[in-house]
Amino acid sequence: MMKKIIFLVFITSLFYLGCNTTKTATTLVDQFNYEVQKKIVCENGAVVSAHPLASKVGVAILKMGGNAVDAAIATQLALAVVYPNAGNLGGGGFMVARLKDGKLVAIDYREKAPGNAHRDMYLNPAGEPQLELSQYGHLSAGVPGTVSGLFESRKYATLSFDKLIQPAIDLAEKGFAISERDAKAYNALKDDFLKYSTQTPAFVKDNLWKGGDTLIQKDLAETLKRIKRKGSKGFYEGETARLIVEEMKRGKGIITLEDLKNYKAASREPHVFEYKGYKIVGMPMPSSGGLLVHQMMKMIEDKPIASYGFHSPEAVQLMVEAERRAYADRAQFMGDADFYKVPVSTLTSDKYLKERMADFVPGKASNSEQIKPGEIPAIESEETTHLSVIDKSGNAVAVTTTLNNSYGSKTVVGGAGFLLNDEMDDFSVKPGVPNMYGAIGAEANAIMPGKRMLSSMTPTIVLKDGSPYLIIGTPGGTTIPTSVFQTIVNIIEFNMSTEDAVWKPKFHHQWLPDEVYLEKNFPPATKKSLEGMGYKIVERNGIGRTEVIKILSNKKFEAVADNRGDDTAEGW
Ligand code: DON
């Protein structure tokens, strides 16, 4: 009976929406009653994201006549409300798109170091790193980029911004039912939220949260309304900027009104390369993602990996060694290319990559003591979230955003209701000192005012015969590029179903520490073989939450959400 009522309400809303375009997208979304859906095959459009409500908002926007960019903007804004661990206003992200006319787009809204940041700001007088400062609280926050990024991507959108932001306002103002998982996180992080915020945020209440409780975020709703009224200035200037700077003053942070006013997202040339006839479109610096996937794919291209078989010791070893070598280069050479000359063409030349793999010995582990970053001639010129979207006319969008780790700095801007990132930890705070993902860096990724910290986020679009074939991305810190690499190889080389390509266990090597991470359910026989080759194996809980849309040969869209979380595929 209940199901019938829900169905009738749904059909009525569809009809109403068709007749009355002033209705908002939230009409199609019941924020108190929603379910996770892992897969859908459809023909008019699809959205996969980390939260069912956000995916539903995206699809509602498509149904209102919006294109994939509209849907991606509305989905991100909804995630900022319903998925505050990584959806955000106070963080940053990247968008990669292939538009219906063939144009390739890359938008960089990565956070920047504040103007008063300096190279040694996280070192004590003895030169020792103070990682609590780079990973928690006010000083760990970079200047947020998301709102500027949303407005930069609006160039390619078609609906009014009012329509795109209204669902997020409704979700913040009227509230939504939190999941069991959310309840656990809010309870576990209560002390952190209180310690690192100067005013009690909406995620904190006296008694324990439980699944199904309603989270209302009034301050966040007001911030969203200011953005609705004033556009980007509703965030970077006026009341919201004032609230951010007051929060900074109370918590000894350094972001100023000037930093906020000066922040601008950047449109960049996507990082594009060919692999066996496919064209792979990724994010350029300050993301290491596009370049790492490029290096790793090219290092395996001339090997008959398909014949080795999925998860065979031969295939895993080959990919682990490609990963090791690419990540050694990441540590040495990669950083914000606006500040540091990243030798992209050398790092991706056939000659260089062939040489990198020259000392690869099948059946025997290499050693990160010996595998150093490559030689470059001097003249050479754990939370993030991903969403994939496609629309009927063929616009394909991949977006990955983050606050860095889950709930970022744990600092909520008093009176404005959103979390600030702790992205400053993605800089190399000192050469050789690992960040929270164990990544080390050097000069290329040293802190400088106005510089963007190196990222691993890898929103990626694979084109086949010139048309979108796969739209991929994932969270996971430094494991992001290796998860994207493996998902592409699983589909292109091992011919796996999209579900298997996403859901089967993943592995990861990042040069240092010299360990291979395997997901807990990894096949024991392969694990044993790898140990026999000399690898140090470390078991790990879920690697990534990969979202994929595959465009099938009959032109239908197959959207698959990772089964490692509440990720949901929606479409119509
Ligand atoms: O930009 C980066 O590479 C990191 N800040 C991403 C963090 C992340 O993916 C955490 N998620 N699990």
Side-chain angles (χ1 to χ4, degrees):
M1 180 65 187
M2 193 56 197
K3 272 200 176 140
K4 253 190 189 161
I5 294 174
I6 292 174
F7 181 70
L8 277 175
V9 170
F10 181 72
I11 291 295
T12 317
S13 338
L14 267 184
F15 175 74
Y16 189 54
L17 189 81
C19 303
N20 182 346
T21 45
T22 59
K23 206 71 189 153
T24 74
T26 327
T27 313
L28 288 183
V29 177
D30 178 350
Q31 73 266 44
F32 299 109
N33 200 349
Y34 55 87
E35 272 172 18
V36 168
Q37 174 171 273
K38 291 296 168 196
K39 180 178 172 183
I40 189 165
V41 177
C42 51
E43 54 196 60
N44 292 307
V47 179
V48 203
S49 84
H51 198 286
L53 288 172
S55 297
K56 280 178 193 295
V57 163
V59 168
I61 290 292
L62 292 176
K63 287 180 177 170
M64 286 169 74
N67 67 13
V69 180
D70 289 300
I73 293 172
T75 305
Q76 286 174 82
L77 287 161
L79 284 168
V81 181
V82 299
Y83 196 70
N85 16 353
N88 68 80
L89 296 182
F94 301 123
M95 176 179 111
V96 169
R98 193 270 185 190
L99 303 178
K100 64 179 180 189
D101 61 2
K103 184 177 169 62
L104 301 178
V105 173
I107 300 179
D108 165 5
Y109 38 110
R110 183 70 163 165
E111 301 89 329
K112 283 184 172 192
N116 288 325
H118 59 92
R119 183 193 181 93
D120 297 335
M121 63 188 278
Y122 299 111
L123 304 184
N124 68 11
E128 294 150 350
Q130 308 293 292
L131 296 182
E132 189 186 352
L133 295 179
S134 67
Q135 297 180 359
Y136 294 90
H138 301 69
L139 202 57
S140 68
V143 183
T146 293
V147 175
S148 180
L150 296 180
F151 282 93
E152 183 68 14
S153 27
R154 258 202 89 206
K155 281 184 192 161
Y156 309 107
T158 56
L159 296 182
S160 73
F161 195 76
D162 285 9
K163 287 199 174 111
L164 306 183
I165 201 168
Q166 194 58 44
I169 294 173
D170 292 343
L171 288 164
E173 198 157 50
K174 298 175 191 146
F176 67 97
I178 63 168
S179 67
E180 211 51 69
R181 218 182 271 264
D182 297 332
K184 273 196 192 138
Y186 301 161
N187 294 333
L189 290 171
K190 180 174 177 175
D191 292 346
D192 276 355
F193 286 137
L194 289 172
K195 179 170 176 190
Y196 297 111
S197 304
T198 59
Q199 295 177 6
T200 306
F203 315 113
V204 171
K205 65 172 186 166
D206 292 340
N207 41 5
L208 288 181
W209 290 98
K210 46 188 192 332
D213 284 353
T214 300
L215 175 67
I216 292 176
Q217 300 173 81
K218 289 265 184 239
D219 289 343
L220 178 59
E222 291 310 310
T223 301
L224 290 163
K225 285 184 204 166
R226 284 191 291 276
I227 298 169
K228 178 177 170 183
R229 279 197 306 273
K230 300 192 172 143
S232 180
K233 287 188 175 171
F235 183 86
Y236 291 101
E237 296 179 38
E239 177 70 358
T240 313
R242 186 184 66 75
L243 290 167
I244 296 173
V245 171
E246 277 178 7
E247 183 62 52
M248 286 290 132
K249 285 186 182 144
R250 288 193 296 271
K252 299 199 175 66
I254 55 173
I255 297 176
T256 61
L257 286 175
E258 212 186 357
D259 289 331
L260 291 163
K261 202 171 167 188
N262 288 340
Y263 185 90
K264 291 278 169 298
S267 281
R268 301 198 184 273
E269 274 304 308
H271 185 102
V272 182
F273 68 98
E274 303 260 343
Y275 178 86
K276 295 189 181 171
Y278 294 89
K279 189 179 258 192
I280 300 181
V281 184
M283 197 63 211
M285 296 296 138
S287 172
S288 58
L291 178 49
L292 288 176
V293 171
H294 185 164
Q295 289 191 301
M296 294 185 291
M297 300 234 34
K298 287 294 184 184
M299 282 192 247
I300 67 160
E301 193 176 26
D302 62 350
K303 309 279 192 298
I305 190 167
S307 71
Y308 301 161
F310 173 66
H311 274 177
S312 64
E314 293 83 353
V316 175
Q317 193 216 352
L318 174 65
M319 292 170 81
V320 159
E321 291 301 337
E323 292 174 6
R324 181 200 305 275
R325 286 160 177 78
Y327 276 75
D329 286 352
R330 180 192 196 276
Q332 183 67 28
F333 300 117
M334 301 186 202
D336 183 348
D338 290 347
F339 285 72
Y340 183 89
K341 197 156 180 34
V342 181
V344 177
S345 53
T346 301
L347 292 175
T348 52
S349 77
D350 289 345
K351 181 171 172 287
Y352 176 82
L353 292 171
K354 217 176 166 60
E355 279 168 12
R356 288 298 270 153
M357 285 301 268
D359 55 358
F360 165 70
V361 182
K364 186 168 181 297
S366 308
N367 177 331
S368 290
E369 294 263 304
Q370 286 148 8
I371 304 287
K372 299 283 184 220
E375 296 290 328
I376 296 291
I379 41 147
E380 161 46 23
S381 57
E382 242 172 76
E383 183 99 24
T384 297
T385 191
H386 177 82
L387 54 120
S388 291
V389 188
I390 184 126
D391 64 27
K392 196 174 171 52
S393 55
N395 295 297
V397 179
V399 172
T400 313
T401 72
T402 192
L403 288 165
N404 199 12
N405 65 336
S406 212
Y407 302 91
S409 60
K410 322 288 186 287
T411 299
V412 175
V413 177
F418 59 86
L419 281 151
L420 288 169
N421 66 83
D422 57 339
E423 220 75 64
M424 292 295 284
D425 191 61
D426 271 347
F427 278 117
S428 168
V429 302
K430 184 180 178 181
V433 171
N435 72 4
M436 71 172 84
Y437 303 103
I440 61 163
E443 187 57 33
N445 192 29
I447 303 172
M448 284 175 76
K451 185 175 174 183
R452 289 171 158 106
M453 54 297 279
L454 183 63
S455 174
S456 300
M457 293 188 288
T458 313
T460 302
I461 297 177
V462 178
L463 306 177
K464 187 179 181 180
D465 302 326
S467 298
Y469 175 55
L470 300 171
I471 310 168
I472 304 185
T474 180
T478 44
T479 67
I480 295 173
T482 50
S483 289
V484 170
F485 170 48
Q486 287 165 48
T487 308
I488 296 174
V489 170
N490 289 349
I491 293 173
I492 290 182
E493 293 285 5
F494 298 125
N495 215 4
M496 286 163 69
S497 71
T498 316
E499 294 95 302
D500 280 351
V502 172
W503 297 347
K504 294 266 185 196
K506 301 237 162 39
F507 53 90
H508 175 69
H509 194 292
Q510 61 177 45
W511 182 51
L512 292 177
D514 192 351
E515 294 165 347
V516 180
Y517 300 104
L518 299 182
E519 275 189 289
K520 286 225 163 84
N521 49 347
F522 204 84
T526 305
K527 180 179 166 212
K528 217 164 158 222
S529 298
L530 291 169
E531 280 167 339
M533 294 178 198
Y535 290 98
K536 180 171 178 220
I537 305 291
V538 177
E539 285 200 341
R540 222 169 129 144
N541 285 328
I543 295 184
R545 286 169 67 168
T546 306
E547 324 287 18
V548 175
I549 297 176
K550 180 175 174 185
I551 293 80
L552 304 176
S553 51
N554 62 7
K555 304 275 178 243
K556 287 194 176 171
F557 309 132
E558 180 186 63
V560 171
D562 205 321
N563 62 356
R564 293 167 179 84
D566 293 336
D567 310 47
T568 286
E570 288 286 344
W572 67 308

